[in-house]
């Protein structure tokens, strides 16, 4: 009898802990519910099945963060810990975040500081697994910026990070620079970092990925040839560029080349983007030595009617990628876009039906699709959706899982992640390490708060 009671007590304790994650899409898990607008939310894995979520708090314009463990239990101070202590005379306008490899996070943000002369500043802060600031109360200065807010971050594999940015010079040209900051918060490559580009033309749409060998790979759009092209570069752990000066060509096709995205593959990268007008989705693989591996100017991922926009990608676990995007082939420019996905293998061969598989295809408006690996060769995709009980300009959050052969695994057009009152938007997603996902978003269910942060874990069965 004693063994039975021990079993029941153990079961109930584990059950209660597990059920800390809400199972009701109208309830979810509150991360920050305070007066003011919480926005620019980002999330990363904490390495233990949970997540760290960071966001910008308005109106005091400071960065906050919260950790929630694999059981859905809040780990830090209610409504989050303050990442930086800059006062209300500062305006933080962007933030990015990566894991520090030890259960904590490194966060970068751009700040306008009225107490210091100059335009703006790129600041970095590390918080450990207990939510304690590691680099002082205000973080460390990475660089003084001129005229842009494009910032990127990638982990360096040693507890630090690569921080990259596009900054204007006195001639209003914009170049890419990078700095490495170690685990102690010390910049490694001198004041101002290392320039990745130094030509007379403008760079835009910067993206960055770790190369898993102590370096990083960049992609950006560049108008050096009179038309918009994509270029890439790799930097090693010592700050030395590995490819051609000013980067190698990814694509020279199309005046309209926008929104590149990048993932690391074997020291190189797979890059996807939208091109032409109306837009299509293309992708290219660059080897670790900077050589394009697929068809010149990229493999066509989707060239269906009307526009395909805002592609995102993750690794397929086999040297290829799964790519998702918003698609107007049915509704046209004025109609609601749908969500589609495609897989391309390591040799650049399309794996699923031509022009992709429908992830969600309804008469309702859908946007801000994001994607995460599922750990089994497939992916989970999340988006904001106006289907009931939303409607009009009111969004809810939906998700779908797709396997490695392109079959959707959950309910037709996706499962409801959040259908709370008012609007839920700007979702972000990570793999939870067990075939499921953790999703966070900006939430309007409490109108007096302007915007809160909520989260939800979805298991592998949706």
């Amino acid at each position: 009898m004693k063994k039975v009671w021990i079993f029941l007590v153990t079961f109930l304790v584990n059950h209660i802990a597990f059920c800390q994650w809400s199972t009701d899409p109208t309830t979810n898990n509150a991360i920050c519910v305070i007066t003011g607008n919480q926005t620019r939310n980002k999330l990363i894995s904490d390495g233990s099945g949970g997540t760290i979520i960071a966001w910008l708090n308005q109106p005091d314009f400071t960065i906050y963060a919260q950790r929630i463990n694999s059981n859905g239990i809040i780990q830090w101070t209610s409504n989050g810990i303050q990442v930086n202590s800059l006062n209300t005379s500062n305006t933080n306008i962007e933030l990015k975040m990566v894991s520090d490899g030890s259960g904590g996070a490194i966060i970068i943000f751009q700040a306008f500081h009225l107490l210091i002369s100059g335009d703006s500043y790129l600041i970095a802060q590390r918080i450990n697994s207990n939510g304690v600031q590691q680099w002082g109360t205000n973080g460390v200065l990475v660089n003084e910026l001129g005229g842009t807010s494009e910032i990127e971050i990638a982990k360096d594999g040693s507890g630090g990070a690569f921080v990259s940015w596009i900054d204007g010079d006195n001639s209003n040209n914009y170049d890419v620079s990078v700095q490495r900051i170690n685990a102690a918060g010390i910049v490694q490559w001198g004041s101002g970092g290392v320039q990745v580009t130094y030509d007379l033309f403008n760079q835009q749409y910067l993206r960055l990925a770790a190369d898993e060998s102590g370096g990083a790979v960049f992609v950006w759009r560049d108008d050096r040839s009179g038309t918009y092209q994509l270029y890439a570069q790799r930097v090693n752990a010592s700050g030395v560029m590995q490819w051609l000066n000013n980067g190698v060509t990814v694509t020279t096709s199309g005046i309209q080349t926008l929104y590149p995205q990048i993932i690391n593959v074997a020291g190189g990268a797979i890059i996807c983007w939208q091109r032409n007008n109306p837009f299509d989705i293309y992708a290219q693989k660059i080897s670790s030595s900077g050589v394009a591996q697929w068809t010149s100017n990229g493999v066509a991922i989707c060239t269906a009617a009307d526009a395909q926009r805002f592609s995102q990608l993750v690794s397929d676990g086999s040297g290829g990628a799964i790519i998702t995007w918003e698609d107007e082939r049915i509704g046209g420019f004025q109609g609601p876009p749908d969500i589609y996905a495609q897989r391309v293998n390591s040799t650049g061969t399309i794996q699923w039906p031509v022009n992709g598989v429908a992830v969600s295809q309804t008469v309702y408006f859908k946007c801000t699709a994001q994607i995460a690996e599922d750990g089994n060769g497939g992916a989970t995709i999340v988006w904001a959706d106006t289907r009931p009980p939303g409607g009009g300009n009111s969004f809810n959050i939906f998700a779908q899982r797709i396997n490695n052969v392109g079959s959707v695994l959950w309910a037709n057009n996706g499962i409801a992640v959040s259908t709370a009152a008012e609007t839920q938007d700007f979702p972000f997603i990570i793999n939870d390490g067990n075939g499921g996902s953790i999703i966070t978003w900006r939430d309007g269910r409490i109108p007096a708060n302007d915007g809160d942060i909520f989260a939800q874990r979805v298991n592998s069965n949706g």
Side-chain angles (χ1 to χ4, degrees):
M1 186 66 179
K2 182 177 179 181
K3 291 182 178 179
V4 173
W5 277 110
I6 291 173
F7 170 80
L8 287 174
V9 170
T10 303
F11 173 81
L12 287 172
V13 169
N14 290 336
H15 183 68
I16 290 168
F18 177 78
C19 287
Q20 294 296 319
W21 280 111
S22 171
T23 58
D24 184 351
T26 66
T27 302
N28 310 118
N29 286 64
I31 303 300
C32 180
V33 284
I34 60 175
T35 302
N37 184 26
Q38 321 307 315
T39 186
R40 311 287 173 85
N41 48 300
K42 302 290 188 298
L43 83 166
I44 58 169
S45 171
D46 69 356
S48 302
T51 184
I52 296 173
I53 302 170
W55 63 90
L56 171 66
N57 178 72
Q58 295 174 328
D60 66 350
F61 297 105
T62 52
I63 308 297
Y64 283 77
Q66 181 60 270
R67 182 181 179 191
I68 186 167
N69 73 9
S70 60
N71 294 317
I73 301 171
I74 293 294
Q75 299 296 289
W76 298 340
T77 303
S78 177
N79 291 315
I81 57 101
Q82 196 170 11
V83 172
N84 67 299
S85 301
L86 300 177
N87 59 39
T88 55
S89 64
N90 306 275
T91 305
N92 302 309
I93 63 174
E94 183 59 283
L95 70 93
K96 298 288 175 70
M97 175 171 59
V98 292
S99 169
D100 68 356
S102 301
I106 298 174
I107 301 170
I108 60 168
F109 53 94
Q110 187 181 8
F112 288 105
H113 202 306
L114 299 185
L115 303 180
I116 308 174
S117 62
D119 293 308
S120 66
Y121 296 83
L122 182 54
I123 307 294
Q125 177 63 277
R126 182 180 180 187
I127 48 175
N128 69 12
S129 59
N130 295 315
V132 178
Q133 297 167 328
Q134 300 297 288
W135 295 343
T137 57
N138 289 329
V140 296
L141 176 66
V142 177
N143 193 59
E144 182 178 350
L145 299 175
T148 185
S149 61
E150 292 194 46
I151 59 175
E152 285 289 308
I153 188 170
K155 58 186 179 181
D156 70 357
S158 300
F162 297 100
V163 179
S164 188
W165 62 92
I166 293 179
D167 195 18
D169 60 23
N170 293 330
S171 302
N172 293 319
N173 294 315
Y174 292 89
D175 289 313
V176 179
S177 297
V178 63
Q179 177 65 270
R180 185 177 181 186
I181 187 166
N182 70 10
I186 301 171
V187 295
Q188 300 296 289
W189 297 337
S191 177
V194 176
Q195 276 195 263
V196 178
T197 62
Y198 42 88
D199 60 33
L200 297 178
F201 300 95
N202 293 326
Q203 286 74 47
Q204 298 174 290
Y205 304 121
L206 172 67
R207 293 293 181 267
L208 179 65
D211 70 1
E212 306 302 337
S213 299
V217 183
F218 312 78
V219 66
W220 65 89
R221 188 176 83 163
D222 195 308
D223 66 356
R224 72 184 70 171
S225 299
T227 60
Y228 292 118
Q229 305 173 5
L230 295 183
Y231 288 82
Q233 180 62 275
R234 183 182 181 189
V235 64
N236 70 10
S238 299
V240 178
M241 300 304 144
Q242 301 296 288
W243 299 342
L244 296 177
N245 287 343
N246 289 314
V248 299
T249 302
V250 177
T251 177
T252 59
S253 177
I255 294 176
Q256 294 287 346
T257 302
L258 295 168
Y259 308 126
Q261 302 292 334
I262 186 171
I263 58 170
N264 165 68
V265 177
I270 295 178
I271 299 162
C272 69
W273 65 93
Q274 64 187 56
R275 83 175 196 198
N276 302 331
N277 194 4
F279 295 108
D280 298 317
I281 305 299
Y282 280 74
Q284 180 63 273
K285 183 178 181 180
I286 306 293
S287 72
S288 59
S289 57
V291 179
Q293 300 294 289
W294 296 343
T295 303
S296 178
N297 291 318
V299 170
I301 301 300
C302 183
T303 58
D306 288 291
Q308 289 74 46
R309 304 173 187 268
F310 308 125
S311 56
Q312 301 284 324
L313 82 166
V314 291
S315 170
D316 68 355
S318 301
I322 298 174
I323 301 171
T324 191
W325 63 90
E326 297 168 28
D327 196 296
E328 298 176 357
R329 72 183 71 178
I330 294 177
F333 179 74
Q334 298 297 326
D338 294 314
I339 308 297
Y340 276 73
Q342 179 62 271
R343 181 184 175 194
V344 58
N345 73 7
S346 61
T347 64
T349 303
I350 296 300
Q351 299 296 288
W352 298 343
V354 173
N355 290 324
V357 172
V359 174
S360 180
Q361 189 181 72
T362 69
V363 297
Y364 300 103
F365 193 89
K366 297 164 284 293
C367 65
T368 57
Q370 299 288 309
I371 187 169
E373 302 172 37
D374 70 359
N376 292 289
T380 304
I381 300 166
V382 65
W383 64 93
D385 194 312
T386 60
R387 79 181 77 172
N393 294 321
S394 182
F395 287 92
N396 294 142
I397 306 299
F398 285 78
Q400 180 63 270
R401 185 180 174 195
I402 191 165
N403 67 14
N404 63 342
V405 296
S407 299
V408 293
L409 300 179
W410 297 344
N412 187 37
N413 292 311
I415 58 105
V417 175
S418 181
T419 54
E422 301 299 329
T423 195
Q424 289 74 45
D425 54 15
F426 299 107
F428 289 90
I429 183 171
I430 59 168
N431 183 342
D432 70 356
N434 291 294
S437 305
I438 299 175
I439 301 163
T440 188
W441 61 90
R442 188 180 68 174
D443 195 292
R445 72 185 68 187
I446 308 174
N449 287 359
D450 293 328
D452 295 317
I453 305 296
F454 276 71
Q456 181 67 59
R457 184 180 183 186
V458 179
N459 70 16
S460 59
N461 296 316

